[in-house]
Structure formats: structure tokens, C-alpha cells
Amino acid sequence: MPTTETPGAPPAEERVFRPAPSTVIEANVKPAELVEAYRLAAADHPGYWEQAALELEWHRKWDAVLDDSRPPVYRWFPGARTNIVHNALDRHVHIWTKNKLALIWEGEAGDCRKFTYFELYREVNRLAGALRALGVGRGDRVCLYMPPIPETVVAMLATAKIGAVHVFVFAGYAAKFLRERVNEAGAKVLVTADGFYRGGKLINLKAVVDEGLADARPDVAETVVVVRRTGGDIDMQEPRDLYYHDLLRQESPEAATEIMEAGEPLFWLPTSGTTGKPKSVVHSHGGYMVGAHHTFRTVFDIKPTDIHFCTADPGWITGHTYGVYGPLLTGATVILYEGHPLYPQADRLPAIIERYGATIFYATPTLIRMLMRYGPQYPKNRDISTLRLLGSVGEPLGPDAWMWLYKHIGRSNCPVLDTWWQTETGMAMLSPMPISLLKPGSVGKALPGVAADVVDEDGRPVPPGQSGFLVLGKPWPGMLTGLAGDDAAYAAYWEKIPGVYFAGDLARRDEDGYFWIQGRADDVLNIAGHRIGTAEVEAALCSHRFVADAAVIGLPDKIKGEVAKAFVVPSPQWQEAYADADAFASDLRAHVRRELGPIVIVRAVALRESLPRTHSGKILRRVLREEEEAGGKLF
Ligand code: 6R9
């Protein structure tokens, strides 16, 4: 049962940080407005989201806000018509944002390209025209296998503009994965690049495309549009392969925007797959647009002067929602960068913040931990005082990384917004607001209009402090409209706990309604009948001063059922403090015991230089478990 209280539960995090008075005074959503938002959402859930929808332009208004007559299929804004690109791009060309910077891009070598809304609009229109000329139309899938370059944003928007559906395959995925996704999507056109730079190396992306398409279905990827990024030597196959720039040369800078039904698909996106089997999540023009716009405007508190630095690759949901659509829907300026975050120098990201005056920095715990290893001095020679908000997403941040981010990047002056959400949710669901009291390690409360709860297996809410399943009780506009070609898997989200959406995570909620994510339910440890989230043990390990990063799995144990095994990335100075790895390991075991109580037994500790992660940076505990079963590699 996940409802038992964690034995000897860790001393609840007691630190609380208050926003600066200026943050409160200037916030888009001030305290009284937040109270009112919660009140309205509780009294009239669709009414709350209707107000959010009215912040955008529609070609036809909805017949109803929400059609929930056939759960678990929910249709947001049935009858309404729009196109997300109308709101993200077209409408800016008629207002003051026309000549504002939409996109700032920095290549790994420090080369920079900037696009105003007007320039981006014209480029998107050219590609939209070219795609139409290639026979792509409403509902057709276009596969994007793109590195983080401006043309990637152009390709997403051009595809959506003509009513086609973009299916992004992150450029780090191998040929086989690309082939499977292109086949699954039946994509006639694939947009890619010759290559890109990462960590000082030229990556020949087009070679992977050629390999992936070699035995793809014959009716897919009839055309491959290739952006010249590196000018590297590639094999262009006639008549399949066309250069992007050749294609666009003849095209008009004006193109009509296809007017879509709110529920029509905007994109498919394969989930990053910590469990192995990818699922392609489908999002729509109407609901997703409302969710992305509203949360970006309110949670990220976006102002006309903001420069938003989203470190996520555009190929992940974070890149889609808060790297492309959210910023453009709100008329913000967004920074996109190519390459490795620590190359050519460890302070590359602070250098980007300094160079362009970024005001918001949104990153992942993995990235933050990478920066933390440079110690408290980091980033000493960079002026990052333009920052006013920090965000994190993707994994539990943990109090230690939270504090580091708050102090060293935020100068104890910027709220840390730890946002919990998923590819499936499309938009942030749990998060502090800039005016909230902040608790290091917590993802804050459910946002207004989000009905999150912590329940037991039967769907009964568990008391504060106890661990349970994190569920969403009501539909929300950013939600997935389905999984490509798999209705049963879509329905399964609502079946594990009847009637509510189960996200797969375990959480606790405290007396104040703040959520604490404990990790994936699949990863949970069961020690002597007590269920303990991996995140909790990992956070305890990371609070040790010689631990840079940690992952935990369960080992079978005859008496306890399960005990923990820890994989630890030590910080560089550990060898000065301990005689050997055994001494370090026993201190770590004692440390966890002190932090979490005697029931949490760490049986073994393995020291590692790094942890296996998904491309988007999530720890692959499955791989650690497999290694362990195959004999492990204990140090
Ligand atoms: C946006 C994104 C979703 C899973 C989710 C959860 C984990 C995301 C988190 C977090 C703790 C946070 N997750 N945000 N865990 N704190 N702030 O990452 O989507 O790639 O689909 O992953 O990521 O386990 O269920 P996605």
C-alpha cells in the first residue's frame, strides 16, 4: 500500500522563502487575483478555462467549453476554430510585437541569429508554401528530425500553419528510432539538417537519416528537406532530398493559415520513455494552445521585456510548450542554443544569460547538478543579474539543488518555480507561482484549474504527509487528446485508479497543500512493507556534501523484501575526506539512516562517474536494475 506513512519520515523541509515585495507588486497574478482564480476554478472549472481561452483569438467561438460526455475522451472547446500559429505568429504582425525579437539563437561556436516576429512570420510562410507545394495538407504528418536551430522552430510553425501535424524526433535518437516514428506517422515529408555541432564535434545528422530511411516503408519520407547548417559533406539522394534554402527561394513570404477545429491535431510527440516503450502523445490546436498560453503568462509571469531562456531541446515537450509555443503565444523573446551546455567552457549558459540579458532561466535538475559540480564560486565572472525567475522541470530537483540554484544562479533573489508536468499534460500542472511561498524540494500547489490529488489504490484521498498516487481528477485544456493509434493505451491512464488520470508518479502533500514528488511508482522501493519513493532516498544522498548526484534501485532481500542500492556520483573532493570507497560508502549509509530513519536500509553503494539517463536527462533506473541483474559493476 502506498498509503503508509514513510517510516521515520524525513524531517519535513522547514525552510520557507518569501518572494521579494517587488515580485509581488509587479506579478501578472497578484495575491488577491490568485485567491480569486482558485475560487473561480473551484466554483466553475470550465468557466475558469473559458476565461483563459478568451485571452486568445478564435475564428469561431466554442459551442461548449468542455464536452465530457464520453469519458475518458474529453473535447475542449468543441465547435471552436483557430490555428495556434494565428495566435503565435500571424497576429503579432498587426500589433506592436511585429518588430520585436521573437527568437535569439546561439550556435555552439558563438554564432548568433536573431528573428523578429515579422522575420519569423515571413520565413514560416515560405516554408508553409513549400510544404504545400510538396503536397502536404491538413492532417498529414511531417516528421522533424532537427537539431536546435532556428529552422526547427520555423518547421514546427510552418507545419502547423498549413494544418499538418508535426512529429518531432529528437536529433539524439538513432536511425532505428527515427525509422519507427516515420513509419508510425506515415510521414510523407521529413525535415532535417545536414548536421550540427555538439561538444566541439560535427554530428552528421543526414547520415543517420539515410540509414533510418534505408528500410523505412516505401510510402513514407518521399521528400526529405535538408537545412544546411554545417555545410558538411553529405549524400543528397535525388529526387528525394531537397535543400531547404533552394526550396524556399521561390516561395512567397505570405501564406494562408489553415483554420482548424479546436480538437484537430497539432503534433504528435513520442514520450521520452524511461520505461522503454515509446508512446506518441497527440496534442490539439485549441486546448493545448490555451494551456500553453495561460500557464506561460501566469506561472512564468511573462512581461514585454522578458527574455526567456529555455534550455530544453525543442524536441521535448518542454521545448514545444515553453521553448516555442508558450513564448510566441505571449509575444515574448526566447533564446535557443545549439550544442553542449558546458562547451566550449563550463560557464557557457551564464555567458548566454549575460550576453542576451536573459530574465528567466528554465532548466532541468540534471543540468543544474552538472553546474553545481563547479562549486559555490560558479558562475563567478558572469553578470547574470538580469535574471528574475528560475524554473526547473523533468525530475525531482531536491532541496540541495534547489538551494544551490536559488543562491548561486538566483542570488537569493529569484523565485524558483519547480514545475511538475508531463508530455501527456502538455502544460505545467503543479508549480509555485512567482508570488508563492517557496519550499525547497516541493513543486508547490496545483495550479488554478488543475484538480490534483494524492490518493490510495481505491482513489481515496490520503491524509497530509502520507504518500500515494498523484492523480488528476478533472480534465484540463492542455491534456493529450489521445495516443497515436492506441486508444486502449490512452484509456489506461484512467483505468488504474477508476475515474481519474494517473500520471505514474508518487507524491506526498503537506498540510499547506504543497506537493512533494517521490518518483515514479514503477521505481518505488518496498522495504519491510513500507513504500519509499526513490526521489526521497536520492534527495537524502544528495544532501551529503560529497555527493553530486545519486540514483537508487531496490535489491531483493529475504527478510525485508527489498533494500536499497545507491549509485552515487561523488563530488571531486571525496577522496581527501575518506580513506577509501568503503569508508565513504558506510558514511553514506549512516547519512541516509540519519536523514530518513532506520527503516531505509542502503545495502550497497556503487560509485559512478555518471548515471545512465534518457536523452532528456531522466535517470534510467531500469538500466541500473538490468545491470544489477547481469552481475553489476560494483566498485
Ligand atoms: C515535462 C516533462 C514526465 C515525468 C513525470 C515525472 C517527471 C517532471 C517534474 C518531475 C519531479 C518535477 N517530472 N517534472 N518530477 N519534479 N518538477 O518532463 O515531461 O518527459 O513526459 O516526463 O517527469 O516523473 O511523470 P516528460
Side-chain angles (χ1 to χ4, degrees):
M1 287 286 289
T3 52
T4 46
E5 190 159 8
T6 308
E13 175 61 58
E14 275 161 9
R15 285 170 292 195
V16 171
F17 294 84
R18 282 168 207 285
S22 60
T23 305
V24 178
I25 292 164
E26 288 159 18
N28 287 351
V29 181
K30 299 186 193 3
E33 289 159 344
L34 187 58
V35 170
E36 172 55 20
Y38 279 115
R39 193 205 58 76
L40 173 60
D44 181 5
H45 180 71
Y48 178 79
W49 288 112
E50 179 163 41
Q51 275 202 356
L54 289 169
E55 293 164 12
L56 293 153
E57 293 183 1
W58 301 80
H59 293 78
R60 183 181 185 279
K61 290 274 161 62
W62 39 92
D63 299 325
V65 177
L66 173 65
D67 173 2
D68 56 2
S69 57
R70 288 181 303 130
V73 174
Y74 297 101
R75 290 172 64 226
W76 282 90
F77 312 109
R81 291 198 197 117
T82 188
N83 184 311
I84 196 168
V85 179
H86 171 81
N87 281 290
L89 208 52
D90 301 353
R91 72 179 170 132
H92 292 296
V93 174
H94 307 288
I95 54 177
W96 72 272
T97 33
K98 178 178 177 183
N99 298 316
K100 184 184 172 183
L101 280 186
L103 177 65
I104 300 174
W105 174 81
E106 193 180 277
E108 194 174 69
D111 40 337
C112 169
R113 291 166 68 195
K114 294 178 179 170
F115 291 78
T116 64
Y117 273 89
F118 183 57
E119 288 164 338
L120 189 62
Y121 168 82
R122 286 164 68 102
E123 182 85 358
V124 165
N125 286 342
R126 288 199 178 90
L127 182 60
L131 289 173
R132 278 197 174 116
L134 290 170
V136 181
R138 194 170 180 139
D140 292 340
R141 269 82 58 198
V142 174
C143 197
L144 310 181
Y145 187 54
M146 305 280 285
I149 55 176
E151 288 78 5
T152 303
V153 179
V154 173
M156 290 169 73
L157 297 169
T159 305
K161 176 148 188 155
I162 64 170
V165 180
H166 54 77
V167 182
F168 208 123
V169 179
F170 169 68
Y173 280 127
K176 178 169 172 280
F177 190 90
L178 173 66
R179 174 168 57 242
E180 287 167 0
R181 300 284 80 71
V182 175
N183 282 345
E184 177 190 59
K188 272 192 248 156
V189 174
L190 172 79
V191 187
T192 188
D194 53 358
F196 62 102
Y197 297 97
R198 187 163 169 97
K201 292 196 201 73
L202 188 157
I203 314 287
N204 186 340
L205 197 63
K206 178 61 168 50
V208 189
V209 171
D210 294 342
E211 187 192 336
L213 297 184
D215 28 76
R217 264 170 44 188
D219 58 329
V220 298
E222 287 161 6
T223 306
V224 176
V225 178
V226 184
V227 176
R228 223 177 319 219
R229 155 66 188 132
T230 62
D233 208 8
I234 58 167
D235 187 17
M236 290 292 277
Q237 296 183 18
E238 295 215 3
R240 187 193 69 182
D241 300 349
L242 301 168
Y243 274 117
Y244 171 98
H245 303 90
D246 294 341
L247 208 56
L248 261 60
R249 203 162 293 134
Q250 303 300 324
E251 291 296 333
S252 158
E254 290 297 330
T257 300
E258 197 76 20
I259 304 308
M260 310 298 287
E261 296 293 329
E264 277 185 277
L266 165 65
F267 64 82
W268 295 7
L269 192 61
T271 53
S272 42
T274 42
T275 50
K277 193 169 159 276
K279 297 181 265 193
S280 284
V281 171
V282 184
H283 281 287
S284 67
H285 275 264
Y288 173 81
M289 172 177 81
V290 172
H293 173 263
H294 185 68
T295 51
F296 194 62
R297 189 182 74 73
T298 57
V299 178
F300 289 86
D301 191 40
I302 206 76
K303 303 280 166 35
T305 47
D306 273 317
I307 309 246
H308 177 62
F309 185 12
C310 173
T311 59
D313 189 281
W316 305 123
I317 191 65
T318 305
H320 276 46
T321 305
Y322 298 120
V324 176
Y325 287 115
L328 300 182
L329 285 166
T330 50
T333 303
V334 73
I335 301 176
L336 176 69
Y337 80 108
E338 174 200 50
H340 195 281
L342 302 180
Y343 187 90
Q345 78 281 350
D347 67 352
R348 174 160 188 225
L349 299 183
I352 291 177
I353 295 168
E354 178 182 62
R355 184 172 179 191
Y356 306 107
T359 56
I360 306 173
F361 179 64
Y362 193 34
T364 61
T366 311
L367 186 54
I368 294 158
R369 288 194 182 281
M370 266 159 71
L371 305 182
M372 275 172 82
R373 287 193 215 173
Y374 294 94
Q377 294 302 309
Y378 187 92
K380 61 172 179 279
N381 294 323
R382 298 290 174 188
D383 176 6
I384 55 170
S385 60
T386 50
L387 288 176
R388 67 178 193 90
L389 282 180
L390 303 172
S392 173
V393 59
E395 284 209 298
L397 182 58
D400 67 315
W402 194 104
M403 286 305 304
W404 186 88
L405 181 66
Y406 184 73
K407 275 196 195 152
H408 298 287
I409 303 295
R411 309 159 329 274
S412 303
N413 202 14
C414 305
V416 172
L417 310 173
D418 186 357
T419 57
W420 178 92
W421 57 295
Q422 306 179 300
T423 308
E424 290 88 339
T425 69
M427 61 183 228
M429 304 296 282
L430 309 179
S431 173
M433 300 283 283
I435 59 164
S436 303
L437 293 183
L438 300 168
K439 303 188 186 189
S442 166
V443 293
K445 297 184 188 181
L447 292 173
V450 171
D453 212 339
V454 179
V455 301
D456 65 15
E457 276 149 335
D458 303 318
R460 283 186 303 249
V462 305
Q466 291 190 15
S467 125
F469 300 111
L470 174 57
V471 297
L472 302 168
K474 286 186 186 151
W476 62 99
M479 69 193 291
L480 71 169
T481 54
L483 289 180
D486 199 343
D487 291 346
Y490 171 80
Y493 286 106
W494 276 267
E495 280 160 4
K496 174 146 171 71
I497 299 161
V500 293
Y501 171 94
F502 173 50
D505 286 8
L506 294 184
R508 248 175 324 131
R509 191 159 50 169
D510 66 20
E511 299 278 355
D512 301 327
Y514 278 56
F515 287 81
W516 302 76
I517 307 294
Q518 296 181 287
R520 302 288 297 168
D522 302 340
D523 291 332
V524 74
L525 309 178
N526 191 337
I527 305 181
H530 300 287
R531 294 175 64 115
I532 296 144
T534 45
E536 229 155 19
V537 188
E538 286 157 7
L541 285 160
C542 286
S543 70
H544 189 282
R545 62 197 193 104
F546 292 119
V547 175
D549 205 353
V552 165
I553 61 168
L555 294 182
D557 180 87
K558 280 204 195 85
I559 297 161
K560 304 280 178 193
E562 218 168 30
V563 290
K565 169 159 183 180
F567 297 81
V568 165
V569 180
S571 45
Q573 310 78 5
W574 76 274
Q575 276 157 314
E576 292 158 28
Y578 298 94
D580 55 23
D582 283 345
F584 184 32
S586 59
D587 190 36
L588 289 175
R589 283 198 292 268
H591 178 76
V592 172
R593 209 163 39 240
R594 270 195 307 275
E595 292 281 307
L596 298 180
I599 288 183
V600 184
I601 299 165
V602 177
R603 170 70 42 83
V605 177
L607 301 187
R608 288 291 167 89
E609 271 172 24
S610 63
L611 300 172
R613 292 187 181 273
T614 64
H615 284 299
S616 65
K618 295 187 209 298
I619 297 172
L620 277 163
R621 293 181 195 79
R622 175 176 57 85
V623 169
L624 293 171
R625 278 195 293 267
E626 280 163 11
E627 264 181 27
E628 196 57 30
E629 279 155 24
K633 38 177 182 177
L634 263 173
F635 282 71

